[in-house]
Amino acid sequence: MLRVGSVCEAGKSRLNKTGDWRTLRPQVTDKCNGCGICELFCPDSCIVLENKKAVIDYDYCKGCGICANECPKQAIEMEEERN
Amino acid sequence: MASQERINLLAPGHRACPGCGAAVALRQILRPLGRNTIAVSATGCVETFTSPYDQSSWEVPWMHSLFENSGAVASGVRAALDVQGEKDVNLVVISGDGGTFDIGMGALSGMLERKDNVTYICYDNEAYMNTGVQRSGSTPHAAATTTTPSGKKSYGKIEYKKDVPGIVWAHDAEYVATASIAYPQDLMRKVKKANEIYGPKYIQVHTPCCIGWGFDASKTIQVGKLAVETGLVPIYEMEKGQPVKVKKAAEKKPIEEYLKVQSRFKHLFKEQERDEVIKELQAICNANIEHFGI
Ligand SMILES: Cc1ncc(C[n+]2csc(CCOP(=O)(O)OP(=O)(O)O)c2C)c(N)n1
Ligand code: SF4
Ligand code: SF4
Ligand SMILES: [Mg+2]
């Protein structure tokens, strides 16, 4: 069968760090209870749950703000990106 | 959901616009399918943003078909798997609305007619986005696109959205459903269910596109919910040709609430009075609410 990696390596888009597209930066605050709703809605696969808390991978986060809008606890705040 | 169930098969670093609904759809579609999956995609945004050479975002084997033949390519992949005796491989098509409603309709019809064991998923962003927002058979009535512009004499697309789930059902497919990225548990349940059924299956997933529809990237999910809550985009499964398990909207929103947050409909509110067109869109919603029991 056609196996993953036959033509090119799987998941190699990780070389393309999209974090520098960001103009707004999501910050997860203490209000986060780890429900994981943001993780299901992030288009960029850059939220993981660690110790019942959402953790954002800023190497790839494009700052769309979906996570902040969809968080039922309003636990994610969008700030101006200064880096 | 336990953490091991949060399997992620779309790698970051893909080149979708920030806030892309189609990228959200990919993650939600691949999760219940798991690694033992082969995906086929027609040309379109998903194909483009996941596959610049040697920087694939796919964590499962993936094939790019032409714009017009993803159904036929998937049939071929299934035939090859059968010859090799590979019985338990999940096979999914992930194609856009242009690739499904318009140019790929013939190949999809053939796949359905042959009863090939494929789950065909159309991610529906309601226009040809990858080439710059041209109208498709899925574009809703009155939406402005680059080929259905608004102006003094034009109010956007004249035709109504094509009923592709109905067309697929007419082929006696094994499973037909619609879904939206705004309701991920429902979407993932439908993908899992379809995948477990033998034969041709079709799921149409509503995927708002912030660039083509004209709304802020942060609002993708909210816009998706409004489409359902107004009744414009019905979410259902089909059994014996009848819609079942319809997503109900406790409080139906007036269509204006959906229209006014998107610039593809902004001409309906200014320049010239377009109240009649808004009424027509509300009538489409009312008919859906009645027909589907939303
Ligand atoms: C035969 C053919 N005609 C035209 C094109 C150019 N083309 C590439 S993608 C695309 C539109 C795809 O629209 P859709 O299927 O809705 O996917 P989207 O880009 O919206 O995700 C077009 C017209 C092509 N690749 N092949
Ligand atoms: S801002 Fe967008 S890309 Fe960044 S973590 Fe939130 S949802 Fe993901
Ligand atoms: S144009 Fe729309 S569908 Fe295409 S990548 Fe951008 S947001 Fe996604
Ligand atoms: Mg499209």
Coordinates of all heavy atoms in Angstrom, one line a residue, chain B residues 84-166:
Chain B
Q84 N -4.3 -5.9 -3.1 CA -3.2 -6.2 -2.2 C -3.7 -6.9 -0.9 O -2.9 -7.3 0.0 CB -2.5 -5.0 -1.8 CG -1.7 -4.4 -3.0 CD -1.0 -3.1 -2.6 OE1 -1.3 -2.4 -1.6 NE2 0.0 -2.8 -3.4
G85 N -5.0 -7.1 -0.8 CA -5.6 -7.8 0.4 C -5.6 -6.9 1.6 O -5.7 -7.4 2.8
E86 N -5.4 -5.6 1.5 CA -5.4 -4.7 2.6 C -6.9 -4.4 2.9 O -7.5 -3.5 2.2 CB -4.7 -3.4 2.3 CG -3.2 -3.6 2.0 CD -2.3 -3.3 3.2 OE1 -2.8 -3.1 4.3 OE2 -1.1 -3.2 3.0
K87 N -7.4 -5.0 3.9 CA -8.9 -4.9 4.1 C -9.3 -3.7 5.0 O -10.4 -3.2 4.9 CB -9.4 -6.2 4.8 CG -9.3 -7.4 3.9 CD -10.6 -7.6 3.1 CE -10.4 -8.8 2.1 NZ -10.3 -8.3 0.7
D88 N -8.4 -3.4 6.0 CA -8.9 -2.5 7.0 C -8.3 -1.1 7.0 O -8.0 -0.4 8.0 CB -8.5 -3.1 8.4 CG -9.2 -4.4 8.6 OD1 -10.4 -4.5 8.2 OD2 -8.5 -5.4 9.0
V89 N -8.1 -0.6 5.8 CA -7.6 0.8 5.6 C -8.7 1.8 5.4 O -9.6 1.6 4.6 CB -6.6 0.9 4.5 CG1 -6.1 2.3 4.3 CG2 -5.5 -0.1 4.6
N90 N -8.8 2.8 6.2 CA -9.8 3.9 6.0 C -9.4 4.7 4.8 O -8.2 5.1 4.7 CB -9.8 4.8 7.3 CG -10.0 4.0 8.6 OD1 -10.6 3.0 8.6 ND2 -9.3 4.5 9.6
L91 N -10.4 5.0 4.0 CA -10.1 5.8 2.8 C -11.0 7.0 2.7 O -12.3 6.8 2.8 CB -10.2 4.9 1.6 CG -10.0 5.5 0.2 CD1 -8.7 6.2 0.1 CD2 -10.2 4.5 -0.9
V92 N -10.5 8.1 2.6 CA -11.3 9.3 2.7 C -10.9 10.3 1.6 O -9.7 10.4 1.3 CB -11.2 10.0 4.1 CG1 -9.8 10.5 4.3 CG2 -12.2 11.1 4.3
V93 N -11.9 10.9 1.0 CA -11.7 12.0 0.0 C -11.9 13.3 0.8 O -12.9 13.4 1.6 CB -12.6 12.0 -1.2 CG1 -12.5 13.2 -2.0 CG2 -12.3 10.8 -2.0
I94 N -11.1 14.3 0.7 CA -11.3 15.6 1.3 C -11.2 16.6 0.2 O -10.1 17.0 -0.2 CB -10.4 15.9 2.5 CG1 -10.5 14.7 3.5 CG2 -10.7 17.2 3.1 CD1 -9.5 14.9 4.7
S95 N -12.3 17.0 -0.3 CA -12.3 18.0 -1.5 C -13.2 19.2 -1.2 O -14.2 19.1 -0.5 CB -12.8 17.2 -2.7 OG -11.8 16.4 -3.3
G96 N -13.0 20.2 -1.9 CA -13.7 21.5 -1.8 C -15.1 21.4 -2.4 O -15.4 20.4 -3.1
D97 N -15.8 22.5 -2.3 CA -17.2 22.5 -2.9 C -17.1 22.7 -4.4 O -17.9 22.1 -5.1 CB -18.0 23.7 -2.3 CG -17.3 25.0 -2.3 OD1 -16.3 25.1 -1.5 OD2 -17.6 25.9 -3.1
G98 N -16.1 23.4 -4.9 CA -15.9 23.5 -6.3 C -15.6 22.1 -6.9 O -16.2 21.7 -7.9
G99 N -14.7 21.4 -6.2 CA -14.3 20.1 -6.7 C -15.4 19.0 -6.5 O -15.3 17.9 -7.1
T100 N -16.4 19.4 -5.8 CA -17.5 18.4 -5.5 C -18.8 18.8 -6.2 O -19.3 18.0 -7.0 CB -17.8 18.3 -4.0 OG1 -16.6 18.0 -3.3 CG2 -18.8 17.3 -3.6
F101 N -19.3 20.0 -6.0 CA -20.6 20.4 -6.5 C -20.5 20.6 -8.0 O -21.5 20.4 -8.8 CB -21.0 21.8 -5.9 CG -21.5 21.7 -4.5 CD1 -20.8 21.2 -3.5 CD2 -22.8 22.2 -4.2 CE1 -21.3 21.2 -2.2 CE2 -23.3 22.2 -3.0 CZ -22.5 21.7 -1.9
D102 N -19.3 21.0 -8.5 CA -19.2 21.4 -9.9 C -18.3 20.4 -10.7 O -18.8 19.4 -11.2 CB -18.6 22.8 -10.0 CG -19.4 23.9 -9.3 OD1 -20.6 23.6 -9.1 OD2 -18.9 24.9 -9.0
I103 N -17.0 20.7 -10.7 CA -16.2 19.9 -11.7 C -16.0 18.5 -11.3 O -15.8 17.6 -12.2 CB -14.8 20.7 -11.8 CG1 -14.0 20.2 -13.0 CG2 -14.0 20.6 -10.6 CD1 -12.9 21.0 -13.4
G104 N -16.1 18.1 -10.0 CA -15.8 16.7 -9.7 C -17.1 15.9 -9.6 O -17.1 14.7 -9.2
M105 N -18.2 16.5 -9.9 CA -19.5 15.8 -9.7 C -19.6 14.5 -10.5 O -20.2 13.5 -10.0 CB -20.7 16.8 -10.2 CG -22.1 16.2 -10.1 SD -22.5 15.5 -8.5 CE -22.9 17.0 -7.5
G106 N -19.1 14.5 -11.7 CA -19.1 13.2 -12.5 C -18.4 12.1 -11.9 O -18.8 11.0 -11.8
A107 N -17.1 12.4 -11.4 CA -16.3 11.4 -10.8 C -16.9 10.9 -9.5 O -16.9 9.7 -9.2 CB -14.9 12.0 -10.6
L108 N -17.5 11.9 -8.8 CA -18.2 11.5 -7.5 C -19.4 10.6 -7.8 O -19.6 9.5 -7.2 CB -18.7 12.7 -6.8 CG -19.7 12.5 -5.6 CD1 -19.0 11.7 -4.5 CD2 -20.1 13.9 -5.0
S109 N -20.2 10.9 -8.9 CA -21.3 10.1 -9.3 C -20.9 8.7 -9.6 O -21.6 7.7 -9.2 CB -22.0 10.8 -10.4 OG -23.1 10.0 -10.9
G110 N -19.8 8.6 -10.3 CA -19.3 7.3 -10.7 C -18.9 6.4 -9.5 O -19.2 5.2 -9.4
M111 N -18.2 7.1 -8.6 CA -17.8 6.4 -7.4 C -19.0 5.9 -6.6 O -19.0 4.8 -6.1 CB -17.0 7.4 -6.5 CG -16.4 6.9 -5.2 SD -16.1 8.2 -4.0 CE -17.5 8.0 -3.0
L112 N -20.1 6.7 -6.6 CA -21.3 6.3 -5.9 C -22.0 5.2 -6.6 O -22.5 4.2 -6.0 CB -22.2 7.6 -5.8 CG -21.7 8.8 -4.9 CD1 -22.6 10.0 -5.2 CD2 -21.7 8.4 -3.5
E113 N -22.0 5.3 -7.9 CA -22.7 4.3 -8.7 C -22.1 2.9 -8.5 O -22.7 1.9 -8.4 CB -22.7 4.7 -10.2 CG -23.6 3.8 -11.0 CD -23.3 4.0 -12.5 OE1 -22.6 4.9 -12.9 OE2 -23.9 3.3 -13.3
R114 N -20.7 2.9 -8.5 CA -20.0 1.7 -8.4 C -20.0 1.1 -6.9 O -19.5 0.0 -6.7 CB -18.5 1.8 -8.8 CG -18.4 2.1 -10.3 CD -16.9 2.1 -10.7 NE -16.2 3.2 -10.0 CZ -16.0 4.4 -10.5 NH1 -16.5 4.7 -11.6 NH2 -15.4 5.3 -9.8
K115 N -20.6 1.9 -6.0 CA -20.7 1.5 -4.6 C -19.3 1.3 -4.0 O -19.1 0.4 -3.2 CB -21.5 0.2 -4.5 CG -22.9 0.3 -5.1 CD -23.9 0.8 -4.0 CE -25.3 1.0 -4.6 NZ -25.7 2.4 -4.6
D116 N -18.3 2.1 -4.4 CA -17.0 1.9 -3.9 C -16.9 2.3 -2.4 O -17.6 3.3 -2.0 CB -16.0 2.8 -4.7 CG -15.8 2.2 -6.1 OD1 -15.8 1.0 -6.2 OD2 -15.6 3.0 -7.1
N117 N -16.1 1.6 -1.7 CA -16.0 1.8 -0.2 C -15.1 3.0 0.1 O -13.9 2.9 0.4 CB -15.5 0.5 0.4 CG -15.5 0.6 1.9 OD1 -16.2 1.4 2.5 ND2 -14.6 -0.2 2.5
V118 N -15.7 4.2 0.0 CA -14.9 5.4 0.2 C -15.8 6.4 1.0 O -17.0 6.5 0.8 CB -14.6 6.1 -1.1 CG1 -13.9 7.4 -0.9 CG2 -13.8 5.2 -2.0
T119 N -15.2 7.1 2.0 CA -15.9 8.2 2.7 C -15.5 9.5 2.0 O -14.4 9.9 2.0 CB -15.5 8.3 4.2 OG1 -15.8 7.0 4.8 CG2 -16.3 9.4 4.9
Y120 N -16.5 10.1 1.3 CA -16.2 11.3 0.5 C -16.6 12.5 1.4 O -17.8 12.6 1.7 CB -17.0 11.3 -0.8 CG -16.6 12.4 -1.7 CD1 -15.9 12.2 -3.0 CD2 -16.9 13.8 -1.5 CE1 -15.6 13.2 -3.8 CE2 -16.5 14.8 -2.3 CZ -15.9 14.5 -3.5 OH -15.5 15.5 -4.4
I121 N -15.7 13.4 1.7 CA -16.0 14.5 2.6 C -15.8 15.8 1.7 O -14.7 16.0 1.2 CB -15.2 14.6 3.9 CG1 -15.5 13.3 4.7 CG2 -15.5 15.8 4.7 CD1 -14.8 13.2 6.0
C122 N -16.8 16.6 1.6 CA -16.7 17.9 1.0 C -16.5 19.0 2.0 O -17.4 19.1 2.9 CB -17.9 18.2 0.1 SG -18.0 19.9 -0.5
Y123 N -15.4 19.7 2.0 CA -15.3 20.8 3.0 C -15.9 22.0 2.2 O -15.4 22.4 1.1 CB -13.9 21.1 3.5 CG -12.9 21.5 2.5 CD1 -12.6 22.9 2.3 CD2 -12.2 20.6 1.7 CE1 -11.7 23.3 1.4 CE2 -11.3 21.0 0.8 CZ -11.0 22.3 0.6 OH -10.1 22.7 -0.3
D124 N -16.9 22.6 2.7 CA -17.7 23.5 1.9 C -17.5 25.0 2.4 O -18.1 25.4 3.4 CB -19.2 23.1 2.1 CG -20.1 24.0 1.3 OD1 -19.7 24.8 0.5 OD2 -21.4 23.9 1.5
N125 N -16.6 25.7 1.7 CA -16.4 27.1 2.0 C -17.1 28.0 1.0 O -16.9 29.2 0.9 CB -14.9 27.4 2.1 CG -14.1 27.0 0.9 OD1 -14.7 26.8 -0.2 ND2 -12.8 26.9 1.0
E126 N -18.0 27.4 0.2 CA -19.0 28.1 -0.6 C -18.5 29.0 -1.7 O -19.1 29.9 -2.1 CB -20.0 28.8 0.3 CG -20.6 27.9 1.3 CD -21.8 28.6 2.1 OE1 -21.6 29.8 2.4 OE2 -22.7 27.9 2.4
A127 N -17.3 28.6 -2.2 CA -16.8 29.3 -3.4 C -15.4 28.7 -3.8 O -14.9 27.8 -3.0 CB -16.6 30.8 -3.2
Y128 N -14.9 29.1 -4.9 CA -13.5 28.6 -5.3 C -12.5 29.6 -4.6 O -12.2 30.6 -5.2 CB -13.3 28.7 -6.8 CG -14.2 27.8 -7.7 CD1 -15.5 27.4 -7.3 CD2 -13.7 27.4 -8.9 CE1 -16.2 26.6 -8.1 CE2 -14.4 26.5 -9.7 CZ -15.7 26.2 -9.3 OH -16.4 25.3 -10.1
M129 N -12.1 29.2 -3.4 CA -11.3 30.1 -2.7 C -9.8 30.2 -3.1 O -9.2 31.2 -3.2 CB -11.4 29.8 -1.2 CG -12.7 29.9 -0.6 SD -13.4 31.6 -1.0 CE -15.0 31.4 -0.2
N130 N -9.3 29.0 -3.5 CA -7.9 29.0 -3.8 C -7.5 29.8 -5.0 O -6.4 30.3 -5.1 CB -7.5 27.5 -4.1 CG -6.0 27.3 -4.3 OD1 -5.3 27.8 -3.4 ND2 -5.6 26.7 -5.3
T131 N -8.5 30.0 -5.9 CA -8.2 30.8 -7.1 C -8.7 32.3 -6.9 O -8.7 33.0 -7.9 CB -8.7 30.2 -8.3 OG1 -10.0 29.6 -8.0 CG2 -7.8 29.1 -8.8
G132 N -9.2 32.6 -5.8 CA -9.6 34.0 -5.5 C -11.1 34.3 -5.5 O -11.6 35.3 -6.0
V133 N -11.8 33.4 -4.9 CA -13.3 33.6 -4.6 C -14.1 33.7 -5.8 O -14.8 34.8 -6.0 CB -13.5 34.8 -3.6 CG1 -14.8 34.7 -2.9 CG2 -12.4 35.0 -2.6
Q134 N -14.2 32.7 -6.6 CA -15.2 32.6 -7.7 C -16.4 31.8 -7.2 O -16.2 30.9 -6.4 CB -14.6 32.0 -9.0 CG -13.5 32.8 -9.7 CD -12.1 32.6 -9.0 OE1 -11.9 31.5 -8.4 NE2 -11.2 33.5 -9.2
R135 N -17.5 32.1 -7.7 CA -18.7 31.4 -7.3 C -18.7 29.9 -7.7 O -18.1 29.5 -8.7 CB -20.0 32.1 -7.8 CG -20.2 32.1 -9.3 CD -20.7 30.8 -9.9 NE -22.2 30.8 -9.9 CZ -22.8 29.7 -10.2 NH1 -22.2 28.5 -10.5 NH2 -24.1 29.7 -10.2
S136 N -19.3 29.1 -6.8 CA -19.5 27.7 -7.2 C -21.0 27.4 -7.1 O -21.8 28.2 -6.7 CB -18.7 26.8 -6.2 OG -19.4 26.7 -5.0
G137 N -21.3 26.1 -7.4 CA -22.7 25.7 -7.2 C -23.1 25.7 -5.7 O -24.3 25.5 -5.4
S138 N -22.2 25.9 -4.9 CA -22.5 25.9 -3.4 C -22.6 27.3 -2.9 O -23.2 27.5 -1.8 CB -21.3 25.2 -2.6 OG -21.5 25.4 -1.3
T139 N -22.2 28.3 -3.6 CA -22.3 29.7 -3.1 C -23.7 30.0 -2.8 O -24.6 29.8 -3.7 CB -21.7 30.7 -4.1 OG1 -20.4 30.3 -4.5 CG2 -21.7 32.1 -3.6
P140 N -24.0 30.6 -1.6 CA -25.4 30.9 -1.4 C -26.0 32.0 -2.2 O -25.2 32.9 -2.7 CB -25.4 31.2 0.1 CG -24.0 31.6 0.5 CD -23.1 30.9 -0.5
H141 N -27.3 32.0 -2.4 CA -28.0 33.1 -3.1 C -27.6 34.4 -2.5 O -27.5 34.6 -1.3 CB -29.5 32.9 -2.9 CG -30.3 33.9 -3.6 ND1 -30.3 34.0 -5.0 CD2 -31.2 34.8 -3.2 CE1 -31.1 35.0 -5.4 NE2 -31.7 35.4 -4.3
A142 N -27.3 35.4 -3.4 CA -27.0 36.8 -3.1 C -25.6 37.1 -2.6 O -25.3 38.2 -2.3 CB -28.1 37.3 -2.1
A143 N -24.8 36.0 -2.4 CA -23.4 36.3 -2.0 C -22.6 36.9 -3.1 O -22.7 36.5 -4.3 CB -22.8 35.0 -1.5
A144 N -21.8 37.9 -2.8 CA -20.9 38.5 -3.8 C -19.7 37.7 -3.8 O -19.1 37.4 -2.8 CB -20.6 40.0 -3.4
T145 N -19.3 37.4 -5.1 CA -18.0 36.7 -5.3 C -17.3 37.5 -6.5 O -18.0 38.4 -7.0 CB -18.1 35.2 -5.7 OG1 -18.7 35.2 -7.0 CG2 -18.9 34.5 -4.7
T146 N -16.1 37.2 -6.9 CA -15.5 37.9 -7.9 C -16.2 37.7 -9.3 O -16.1 38.5 -10.2 CB -14.0 37.6 -8.1 OG1 -13.9 36.2 -8.1 CG2 -13.2 38.1 -6.9
T147 N -16.9 36.6 -9.4 CA -17.7 36.3 -10.6 C -19.2 36.6 -10.5 O -19.9 36.4 -11.5 CB -17.4 34.9 -11.1 OG1 -17.6 34.0 -10.0 CG2 -16.0 34.7 -11.7
T148 N -19.6 36.9 -9.3 CA -21.0 37.3 -9.1 C -20.9 38.6 -8.3 O -21.4 38.7 -7.1 CB -21.8 36.3 -8.3 OG1 -21.2 36.1 -7.0 CG2 -22.0 35.0 -9.0
P149 N -20.4 39.7 -8.9 CA -20.2 40.9 -8.1 C -21.5 41.6 -7.8 O -22.5 41.4 -8.4 CB -19.3 41.8 -9.0 CG -19.6 41.3 -10.4 CD -20.0 39.8 -10.3
S150 N -21.4 42.5 -6.8 CA -22.6 43.3 -6.5 C -22.4 44.7 -7.1 O -21.3 45.1 -7.3 CB -22.8 43.5 -5.0 OG -21.7 44.2 -4.5
G151 N -23.5 45.3 -7.5 CA -23.4 46.6 -8.1 C -24.8 47.1 -8.3 O -25.8 46.6 -7.7
K152 N -25.0 48.1 -9.1 CA -26.3 48.8 -9.2 C -27.3 47.8 -9.7 O -28.5 47.8 -9.3 CB -26.2 49.9 -10.2 CG -25.6 51.2 -9.6 CD -26.2 52.4 -10.3 CE -25.6 53.7 -9.7 NZ -24.2 54.0 -10.1
K153 N -26.9 46.9 -10.7 CA -27.9 46.0 -11.3 C -27.7 44.6 -10.8 O -28.5 43.7 -11.3 CB -27.7 46.0 -12.8 CG -28.1 47.4 -13.4 CD -28.3 47.4 -14.8 CE -28.8 48.8 -15.3 NZ -28.7 48.9 -16.7
S154 N -26.8 44.3 -10.0 CA -26.6 43.0 -9.5 C -26.5 42.9 -8.0 O -25.9 43.8 -7.4 CB -25.3 42.5 -10.1 OG -24.7 41.5 -9.3
Y155 N -27.1 41.9 -7.4 CA -27.0 41.8 -6.0 C -26.3 40.5 -5.5 O -26.4 40.0 -4.5 CB -28.5 41.7 -5.4 CG -29.3 40.6 -6.0 CD1 -29.2 39.3 -5.4 CD2 -30.2 40.8 -7.0 CE1 -30.0 38.3 -6.0 CE2 -31.0 39.8 -7.5 CZ -30.9 38.5 -7.0 OH -31.6 37.5 -7.5
G156 N -25.3 40.1 -6.4 CA -24.6 38.9 -6.1 C -25.1 37.7 -6.8 O -25.7 37.8 -7.9
K157 N -24.9 36.5 -6.3 CA -25.2 35.3 -7.0 C -26.7 35.1 -7.2 O -27.5 35.3 -6.2 CB -24.7 34.0 -6.3 CG -24.8 32.7 -7.1 CD -24.4 31.5 -6.3 CE -24.7 30.3 -7.1 NZ -24.6 29.1 -6.2
I158 N -27.2 34.8 -8.4 CA -28.6 34.7 -8.7 C -29.1 33.3 -8.2 O -30.2 33.3 -7.6 CB -28.8 34.9 -10.2 CG1 -28.4 36.3 -10.6 CG2 -30.3 34.7 -10.6 CD1 -28.3 36.5 -12.1
E159 N -28.4 32.3 -8.5 CA -28.9 30.9 -8.3 C -28.8 30.6 -6.8 O -28.2 31.2 -6.0 CB -28.0 29.9 -9.1 CG -28.0 30.1 -10.6 CD -27.0 31.2 -11.0 OE1 -26.2 31.7 -10.2 OE2 -27.1 31.6 -12.2
Y160 N -29.5 29.5 -6.5 CA -29.5 29.0 -5.1 C -28.5 27.9 -5.0 O -27.9 27.4 -6.0 CB -30.9 28.4 -4.8 CG -32.0 29.4 -4.5 CD1 -31.9 30.7 -4.9 CD2 -33.2 29.0 -3.9 CE1 -32.9 31.6 -4.6 CE2 -34.2 29.9 -3.6 CZ -34.1 31.2 -4.0 OH -35.1 32.1 -3.7
K161 N -28.2 27.6 -3.7 CA -27.2 26.5 -3.5 C -27.7 25.2 -3.9 O -28.9 24.9 -3.7 CB -26.9 26.5 -1.9 CG -25.8 25.6 -1.5 CD -25.6 25.6 0.0 CE -24.5 24.7 0.5 NZ -23.3 25.5 0.9
K162 N -26.8 24.5 -4.6 CA -27.2 23.1 -5.1 C -27.4 22.1 -3.9 O -26.6 22.2 -3.0 CB -26.1 22.6 -6.0 CG -26.4 21.8 -7.1 CD -25.2 21.2 -7.8 CE -24.7 22.0 -9.0 NZ -23.6 21.3 -9.7
D163 N -28.4 21.3 -4.0 CA -28.6 20.3 -3.0 C -27.8 19.0 -3.2 O -28.3 18.0 -3.7 CB -30.1 19.9 -2.9 CG -30.4 18.9 -1.8 OD1 -29.5 18.6 -0.9 OD2 -31.5 18.3 -1.8
V164 N -26.5 19.1 -2.9 CA -25.7 17.9 -3.2 C -26.0 16.7 -2.3 O -26.0 15.6 -2.8 CB -24.2 18.3 -3.3 CG1 -23.3 17.0 -3.4 CG2 -23.9 19.2 -4.5
P165 N -26.2 16.9 -1.0 CA -26.6 15.7 -0.2 C -27.8 15.0 -0.9 O -27.8 13.7 -0.9 CB -27.0 16.3 1.1 CG -26.2 17.5 1.2 CD -26.1 18.1 -0.2
G166 N -28.8 15.7 -1.4 CA -29.9 15.1 -2.1 C -29.5 14.4 -3.3 O -30.0 13.3 -3.6

